[in-house]
Amino acid sequence: MSSSANIFRRGAPLPRPVLDIAHRGAASLAPENTLAAARKAHELGADLWECDVRFTRDGVPILMHDATLRRTTDCHRKFPTRAPWWVHLFSLEEIERLDAGSWFNEVDPFGQIRAGAVPQEEQQGYRGEPVPTLEAALRFTKKRGWRANLELKPGVHLAPRLVAERVLGLIQEVGIATEVLISSYDERVLREIKRLDRELAIAPLVALRPPDPVGYLEGLQADAYHPGLWAFVPEDASALRRLGFGVNLWTCDAPDRLRELAAGGLVSGLFTNFPQRLEPILEELFGS
Ligand code: G3P
Ligand code: CA
């Protein structure tokens, strides 16, 4: 398999100096990891959306952050005897019966309903929002001429090679290989992705700073570095950027910090639950 000109490859020019990466979609305004959240992020002008990928019992990749369905679906109502509702113990047919939107209206995880930023009709529309398959997410992204960062969560019941094969197979089938960046904490999956298609862009997620970030990325043949805020060291970012690696930092929502980071010249992208906050900052700094 080959996919030339992936825009997230090391050294490739980015659409703008800092990318607005909508974390789990526009997670402050719509239920995370759903097409509603992706749609909202796209409307807001985000450069791409990040989503979390896990596999059903029958091996279908779907979007879900947690290892269980409890927090972001009504699984406890539909399947009351299946606690703690591990994702990998549910079939696709069962997951398709779940409502992954109503919890957002009930919990208001970022206080944006209380703040009046989510109109009533949008809240109504979230009721019954399904858990998307990865295929649906990729087709949505492709149809909009947009981009995505797929975070492959550590597999529980599938070998890394199978995870990589299934995800890459879908990417190729949908024809979106040039617009996708794959990240993971699981280095084995990232290595398998590169083995199958060296033109695809990969990025390790870093919660604990590695002793030698440049050597680490080069060893993985990675294209970008994805540190958590607390693992972010400006000198690392500066060295990595000079060598052409992307540096995409997660997850920042505070307006002052977003501005400081966007203007600082050290990052190529910022993951935020509030793409609506980052967008005007980037437009002011870099133009629209
Ligand atoms: O991909 C960056 C970030 O999403 C990793 O953390 O827990 O939000 O998936 P988490
Ligand atoms: Ca994630």
Side-chain angles (χ1 to χ4, degrees):
M1 281 190 285
S2 162
S3 48
S4 57
N6 180 298
I7 64 158
F8 300 109
R9 287 298 309 278
R10 178 180 176 184
L14 290 171
R16 60 176 162 178
V18 176
L19 300 178
D20 183 350
I21 309 174
H23 187 238
R24 309 181 195 174
S28 60
L29 298 173
E32 67 179 56
N33 282 312
T34 64
L35 296 192
R39 194 172 297 116
K40 178 58 80 178
H42 187 249
E43 285 165 11
L44 290 165
D47 295 287
L48 65 152
W49 66 304
E50 183 258 8
C51 54
D52 300 293
V53 178
R54 291 185 183 274
F55 283 78
T56 63
R57 188 178 69 206
D58 39 347
V60 180
I62 57 160
L63 303 197
M64 184 65 53
H65 178 272
D66 299 359
T68 77
L69 300 162
R70 178 66 182 88
R71 181 176 61 86
T72 58
T73 77
D74 61 348
C75 61
H76 52 294
R77 296 195 186 106
K78 302 236 170 81
F79 300 97
T81 63
R82 303 269 294 273
W85 301 281
W86 296 108
V87 176
H88 68 283
L89 297 183
F90 281 75
S91 67
L92 177 64
E93 186 273 322
E94 289 169 333
I95 283 174
E96 282 177 336
R97 281 152 57 190
L98 299 174
D99 171 353
S102 294
W103 74 273
F104 179 86
N105 298 339
E106 288 153 22
V107 175
D108 189 14
F110 294 89
Q112 293 305 290
I113 295 178
R114 282 191 301 286
V118 186
Q120 273 292 340
E121 60 274 18
E122 286 184 9
Q123 293 176 48
Q124 298 277 5
Y126 296 157
R127 295 207 185 117
E129 181 73 28
V131 175
T133 58
L134 175 60
E135 180 175 356
L138 290 174
R139 290 200 188 282
F140 172 90
T141 308
K142 168 84 177 175
K143 200 167 167 191
R144 298 230 164 184
W146 202 27
R147 315 172 187 99
N149 167 211
L150 312 182
E151 181 190 340
L152 307 185
K153 289 293 185 191
V156 183
H157 61 317
L158 290 181
R161 176 176 289 212
L162 216 50
V163 168
E165 282 173 359
R166 292 203 180 162
V167 170
L168 273 184
L170 277 177
I171 289 171
Q172 296 292 345
E173 198 180 309
V174 172
I176 196 169
T178 57
E179 314 298 322
V180 170
L181 169 62
I182 295 187
S183 59
S184 187
Y185 284 111
D186 191 339
E187 291 171 21
R188 298 167 310 164
V189 172
L190 294 178
R191 287 186 200 281
E192 289 292 343
I193 297 273
K194 268 296 189 203
R195 192 182 60 77
L196 290 166
D197 184 352
R198 56 198 299 276
E199 299 299 330
L200 239 147
I202 61 164
L205 280 162
V206 166
L208 198 63
R209 180 188 177 273
D212 170 18
V214 170
Y216 178 54
L217 262 69
E218 283 178 339
L220 271 176
Q221 293 183 277
D223 299 284
Y225 184 63
H226 284 193
L229 272 172
W230 60 90
F232 177 70
V233 175
E235 291 74 22
D236 293 344
S238 165
L240 290 164
R241 295 295 290 134
R242 266 201 310 277
L243 292 166
F245 293 106
V247 174
N248 302 319
L249 186 60
W250 50 275
T251 299
C252 183
D253 292 338
D256 290 352
R257 191 84 173 109
L258 283 171
R259 176 175 292 280
E260 184 193 355
L261 288 163
L266 291 175
V267 299
S268 55
L270 291 166
F271 289 88
T272 179
N273 297 297
F274 288 79
Q276 69 275 29
R277 286 183 183 165
L278 181 54
E279 201 48 36
I281 295 171
L282 296 181
E283 283 180 18
E284 190 191 312
L285 289 171
F286 308 116
S288 48

